[in-house]
PDB file of all heavy atoms in Angstrom:
ATOM      1  N   CYS A  70      -2.470 -69.062 -53.166  1.00  0.00           N
ATOM      2  CA  CYS A  70      -1.204 -68.647 -52.576  1.00  0.00           C
ATOM      3  C   CYS A  70      -0.191 -69.765 -52.690  1.00  0.00           C
ATOM      4  O   CYS A  70       0.979 -69.489 -53.131  1.00  0.00           O
ATOM      5  CB  CYS A  70      -1.440 -68.200 -51.127  1.00  0.00           C
ATOM      6  SG  CYS A  70       0.087 -67.657 -50.322  1.00  0.00           S
ATOM      7  N   LEU A  71      -0.571 -70.983 -52.304  1.00  0.00           N
ATOM      8  CA  LEU A  71       0.376 -72.103 -52.382  1.00  0.00           C
ATOM      9  C   LEU A  71       0.823 -72.356 -53.855  1.00  0.00           C
ATOM     10  O   LEU A  71       1.963 -72.679 -54.096  1.00  0.00           O
ATOM     11  CB  LEU A  71      -0.281 -73.376 -51.788  1.00  0.00           C
ATOM     12  CG  LEU A  71      -0.344 -73.362 -50.287  1.00  0.00           C
ATOM     13  CD1 LEU A  71      -1.129 -74.655 -49.834  1.00  0.00           C
ATOM     14  CD2 LEU A  71       1.016 -73.346 -49.618  1.00  0.00           C
ATOM     15  N   LYS A  72      -0.081 -72.226 -54.747  1.00  0.00           N
ATOM     16  CA  LYS A  72       0.209 -72.379 -56.168  1.00  0.00           C
ATOM     17  C   LYS A  72       1.328 -71.439 -56.556  1.00  0.00           C
ATOM     18  O   LYS A  72       2.318 -71.813 -57.225  1.00  0.00           O
ATOM     19  CB  LYS A  72      -1.016 -72.145 -57.000  1.00  0.00           C
ATOM     20  CG  LYS A  72      -0.823 -72.284 -58.458  1.00  0.00           C
ATOM     21  CD  LYS A  72      -2.108 -72.011 -59.226  1.00  0.00           C
ATOM     22  CE  LYS A  72      -1.732 -71.197 -60.454  1.00  0.00           C
ATOM     23  NZ  LYS A  72      -2.919 -70.849 -61.275  1.00  0.00           N
ATOM     24  N   ASN A  73       1.209 -70.165 -56.110  1.00  0.00           N
ATOM     25  CA  ASN A  73       2.274 -69.164 -56.440  1.00  0.00           C
ATOM     26  C   ASN A  73       3.575 -69.523 -55.716  1.00  0.00           C
ATOM     27  O   ASN A  73       4.658 -69.311 -56.284  1.00  0.00           O
ATOM     28  CB  ASN A  73       1.804 -67.802 -55.989  1.00  0.00           C
ATOM     29  CG  ASN A  73       0.650 -67.316 -56.919  1.00  0.00           C
ATOM     30  OD1 ASN A  73       0.548 -67.766 -58.100  1.00  0.00           O
ATOM     31  ND2 ASN A  73      -0.209 -66.518 -56.396  1.00  0.00           N
ATOM     32  N   THR A  74       3.473 -70.032 -54.495  1.00  0.00           N
ATOM     33  CA  THR A  74       4.687 -70.457 -53.760  1.00  0.00           C
ATOM     34  C   THR A  74       5.476 -71.530 -54.547  1.00  0.00           C
ATOM     35  O   THR A  74       6.653 -71.433 -54.767  1.00  0.00           O
ATOM     36  CB  THR A  74       4.338 -71.021 -52.369  1.00  0.00           C
ATOM     37  OG1 THR A  74       3.666 -69.958 -51.645  1.00  0.00           O
ATOM     38  CG2 THR A  74       5.575 -71.462 -51.626  1.00  0.00           C
ATOM     39  N   PHE A  75       4.716 -72.593 -54.964  1.00  0.00           N
ATOM     40  CA  PHE A  75       5.396 -73.675 -55.709  1.00  0.00           C
ATOM     41  C   PHE A  75       5.952 -73.202 -57.009  1.00  0.00           C
ATOM     42  O   PHE A  75       7.067 -73.491 -57.390  1.00  0.00           O
ATOM     43  CB  PHE A  75       4.416 -74.851 -55.881  1.00  0.00           C
ATOM     44  CG  PHE A  75       4.138 -75.606 -54.612  1.00  0.00           C
ATOM     45  CD1 PHE A  75       2.797 -75.796 -54.191  1.00  0.00           C
ATOM     46  CD2 PHE A  75       5.151 -76.108 -53.833  1.00  0.00           C
ATOM     47  CE1 PHE A  75       2.495 -76.469 -53.023  1.00  0.00           C
ATOM     48  CE2 PHE A  75       4.879 -76.774 -52.638  1.00  0.00           C
ATOM     49  CZ  PHE A  75       3.498 -76.990 -52.237  1.00  0.00           C
ATOM     50  N   GLN A  76       5.148 -72.368 -57.666  1.00  0.00           N
ATOM     51  CA  GLN A  76       5.589 -71.815 -58.943  1.00  0.00           C
ATOM     52  C   GLN A  76       6.848 -70.990 -58.783  1.00  0.00           C
ATOM     53  O   GLN A  76       7.761 -71.127 -59.570  1.00  0.00           O
ATOM     54  CB  GLN A  76       4.444 -70.937 -59.538  1.00  0.00           C
ATOM     55  CG  GLN A  76       4.713 -70.444 -60.943  1.00  0.00           C
ATOM     56  CD  GLN A  76       4.824 -71.599 -61.900  1.00  0.00           C
ATOM     57  OE1 GLN A  76       4.057 -72.586 -61.872  1.00  0.00           O
ATOM     58  NE2 GLN A  76       5.787 -71.570 -62.833  1.00  0.00           N
ATOM     59  N   GLY A  77       6.883 -70.220 -57.691  1.00  0.00           N
ATOM     60  CA  GLY A  77       8.051 -69.362 -57.449  1.00  0.00           C
ATOM     61  C   GLY A  77       9.321 -70.202 -57.107  1.00  0.00           C
ATOM     62  O   GLY A  77      10.416 -69.723 -57.250  1.00  0.00           O
ATOM     63  N   MET A  78       9.122 -71.439 -56.645  1.00  0.00           N
ATOM     64  CA  MET A  78      10.280 -72.263 -56.258  1.00  0.00           C
ATOM     65  C   MET A  78      10.967 -72.878 -57.444  1.00  0.00           C
ATOM     66  O   MET A  78      12.181 -73.180 -57.449  1.00  0.00           O
ATOM     67  CB  MET A  78       9.845 -73.384 -55.332  1.00  0.00           C
ATOM     68  CG  MET A  78       9.611 -72.940 -53.913  1.00  0.00           C
ATOM     69  SD  MET A  78       9.014 -74.264 -52.851  1.00  0.00           S
ATOM     70  CE  MET A  78      10.475 -75.281 -52.662  1.00  0.00           C
ATOM     71  N   PHE A  79      10.246 -73.002 -58.613  1.00  0.00           N
ATOM     72  CA  PHE A  79      10.817 -73.771 -59.731  1.00  0.00           C
ATOM     73  C   PHE A  79      12.142 -73.210 -60.271  1.00  0.00           C
ATOM     74  O   PHE A  79      13.052 -73.964 -60.561  1.00  0.00           O
ATOM     75  CB  PHE A  79       9.784 -74.005 -60.818  1.00  0.00           C
ATOM     76  CG  PHE A  79       8.976 -75.254 -60.586  1.00  0.00           C
ATOM     77  CD1 PHE A  79       7.673 -75.191 -60.153  1.00  0.00           C
ATOM     78  CD2 PHE A  79       9.593 -76.522 -60.661  1.00  0.00           C
ATOM     79  CE1 PHE A  79       6.934 -76.317 -59.872  1.00  0.00           C
ATOM     80  CE2 PHE A  79       8.872 -77.660 -60.350  1.00  0.00           C
ATOM     81  CZ  PHE A  79       7.559 -77.556 -60.010  1.00  0.00           C
ATOM     82  N   PRO A  80      12.223 -71.857 -60.497  1.00  0.00           N
ATOM     83  CA  PRO A  80      13.495 -71.326 -60.986  1.00  0.00           C
ATOM     84  C   PRO A  80      14.691 -71.654 -60.066  1.00  0.00           C
ATOM     85  O   PRO A  80      15.779 -71.892 -60.488  1.00  0.00           O
ATOM     86  CB  PRO A  80      13.211 -69.813 -61.038  1.00  0.00           C
ATOM     87  CG  PRO A  80      11.788 -69.670 -61.065  1.00  0.00           C
ATOM     88  CD  PRO A  80      11.195 -70.843 -60.309  1.00  0.00           C
ATOM     89  N   PHE A  81      14.413 -71.703 -58.766  1.00  0.00           N
ATOM     90  CA  PHE A  81      15.454 -72.057 -57.763  1.00  0.00           C
ATOM     91  C   PHE A  81      15.780 -73.534 -57.794  1.00  0.00           C
ATOM     92  O   PHE A  81      16.900 -73.961 -57.747  1.00  0.00           O
ATOM     93  CB  PHE A  81      15.083 -71.588 -56.375  1.00  0.00           C
ATOM     94  CG  PHE A  81      14.952 -70.119 -56.276  1.00  0.00           C
ATOM     95  CD1 PHE A  81      13.705 -69.450 -56.464  1.00  0.00           C
ATOM     96  CD2 PHE A  81      16.012 -69.338 -55.928  1.00  0.00           C
ATOM     97  CE1 PHE A  81      13.598 -68.111 -56.376  1.00  0.00           C
ATOM     98  CE2 PHE A  81      15.928 -67.929 -55.822  1.00  0.00           C
ATOM     99  CZ  PHE A  81      14.707 -67.317 -56.080  1.00  0.00           C
ATOM    100  N   MET A  82      14.691 -74.335 -57.946  1.00  0.00           N
ATOM    101  CA  MET A  82      14.843 -75.776 -58.001  1.00  0.00           C
ATOM    102  C   MET A  82      15.664 -76.209 -59.256  1.00  0.00           C
ATOM    103  O   MET A  82      16.388 -77.186 -59.233  1.00  0.00           O
ATOM    104  CB  MET A  82      13.518 -76.477 -58.020  1.00  0.00           C
ATOM    105  CG  MET A  82      12.848 -76.435 -56.676  1.00  0.00           C
ATOM    106  SD  MET A  82      11.052 -76.743 -56.767  1.00  0.00           S
ATOM    107  CE  MET A  82      11.048 -78.499 -57.121  1.00  0.00           C
ATOM    108  N   ALA A  83      15.522 -75.435 -60.317  1.00  0.00           N
ATOM    109  CA  ALA A  83      16.280 -75.721 -61.522  1.00  0.00           C
ATOM    110  C   ALA A  83      17.768 -75.855 -61.209  1.00  0.00           C
ATOM    111  O   ALA A  83      18.462 -76.774 -61.659  1.00  0.00           O
ATOM    112  CB  ALA A  83      16.081 -74.579 -62.563  1.00  0.00           C
ATOM    113  N   ARG A  84      18.307 -75.001 -60.327  1.00  0.00           N
ATOM    114  CA  ARG A  84      19.708 -75.025 -59.970  1.00  0.00           C
ATOM    115  C   ARG A  84      19.980 -75.885 -58.724  1.00  0.00           C
ATOM    116  O   ARG A  84      21.101 -76.167 -58.382  1.00  0.00           O
ATOM    117  CB  ARG A  84      20.199 -73.633 -59.657  1.00  0.00           C
ATOM    118  CG  ARG A  84      20.061 -72.662 -60.801  1.00  0.00           C
ATOM    119  CD  ARG A  84      20.839 -71.382 -60.533  1.00  0.00           C
ATOM    120  NE  ARG A  84      20.166 -70.558 -59.449  1.00  0.00           N
ATOM    121  CZ  ARG A  84      19.238 -69.668 -59.686  1.00  0.00           C
ATOM    122  NH1 ARG A  84      18.781 -69.434 -60.902  1.00  0.00           N
ATOM    123  NH2 ARG A  84      18.690 -69.009 -58.698  1.00  0.00           N
ATOM    124  N   GLY A  85      18.849 -76.313 -58.055  1.00  0.00           N
ATOM    125  CA  GLY A  85      18.995 -77.067 -56.822  1.00  0.00           C
ATOM    126  C   GLY A  85      19.001 -76.102 -55.596  1.00  0.00           C
ATOM    127  O   GLY A  85      19.399 -74.960 -55.750  1.00  0.00           O
ATOM    128  N   ILE A  86      18.454 -76.554 -54.486  1.00  0.00           N
ATOM    129  CA  ILE A  86      18.471 -75.784 -53.266  1.00  0.00           C
ATOM    130  C   ILE A  86      19.201 -76.591 -52.182  1.00  0.00           C
ATOM    131  O   ILE A  86      18.559 -77.334 -51.409  1.00  0.00           O
ATOM    132  CB  ILE A  86      17.064 -75.349 -52.843  1.00  0.00           C
ATOM    133  CG1 ILE A  86      16.276 -74.790 -54.012  1.00  0.00           C
ATOM    134  CG2 ILE A  86      17.136 -74.389 -51.686  1.00  0.00           C
ATOM    135  CD1 ILE A  86      14.836 -74.412 -53.683  1.00  0.00           C
ATOM    136  N   PRO A  87      20.533 -76.522 -52.153  1.00  0.00           N
ATOM    137  CA  PRO A  87      21.326 -77.417 -51.270  1.00  0.00           C
ATOM    138  C   PRO A  87      20.931 -77.312 -49.801  1.00  0.00           C
ATOM    139  O   PRO A  87      20.927 -78.310 -49.114  1.00  0.00           O
ATOM    140  CB  PRO A  87      22.760 -76.957 -51.490  1.00  0.00           C
ATOM    141  CG  PRO A  87      22.757 -76.094 -52.705  1.00  0.00           C
ATOM    142  CD  PRO A  87      21.365 -75.627 -52.942  1.00  0.00           C
TER     143      PRO A  87
END
Side-chain angles (χ1 to χ4, degrees):
C70 179
L71 286 175
K72 179 181 140 178
N73 292 331
T74 299
F75 289 126
Q76 188 61 41
M78 283 176 72
F79 274 107
F81 294 91
M82 287 161 72
R84 300 190 292 272
I86 311 178

